[in-house]
Amino acid sequence: MTDAGGPGAAAVCSAKGCTQIATVALLWNNPKLHTADRRKTWLACDAHTRTLGDFLAARGFLRETAAVDGP
Ligand SMILES: [Zn+2]
């Protein structure tokens, strides 16, 4: 028995191939694709908060970060 698959799917990291639970939400906007008030959300685990955040920040897309609270 495992406790996986309970009610309320946990937020999983958006990094390719990563299955860790996300702890941070990165809210971003690509002005070439999105209107100014639009926000896309990437979820990141502890290991990927930096890499995903740097990727967005380097392109000027990163708008906000927010903590993801577990259930
Ligand atoms: Zn990750």
Side-chain angles (χ1 to χ4, degrees):
M1 293 288 278
T2 72
D3 54 10
V12 175
C13 178
S14 300
K16 191 173 184 179
C18 184
T19 57
Q20 298 299 304
I21 301 301
T23 56
V24 174
L26 302 164
L27 305 179
W28 62 277
N29 172 282
N30 180 346
K32 290 182 179 174
L33 299 177
H34 308 126
T35 54
D37 59 348
R38 179 91 179 269
R39 290 292 180 273
K40 300 289 286 182
T41 303
W42 278 359
L43 299 171
C45 68
D46 288 340
H48 286 115
T49 299
R50 186 89 178 255
T51 50
L52 292 176
D54 284 354
F55 178 92
L56 293 170
R59 286 158 181 78
F61 294 171
L62 187 62
R63 295 295 180 268
E64 297 175 62
T65 60
V68 175
D69 292 324

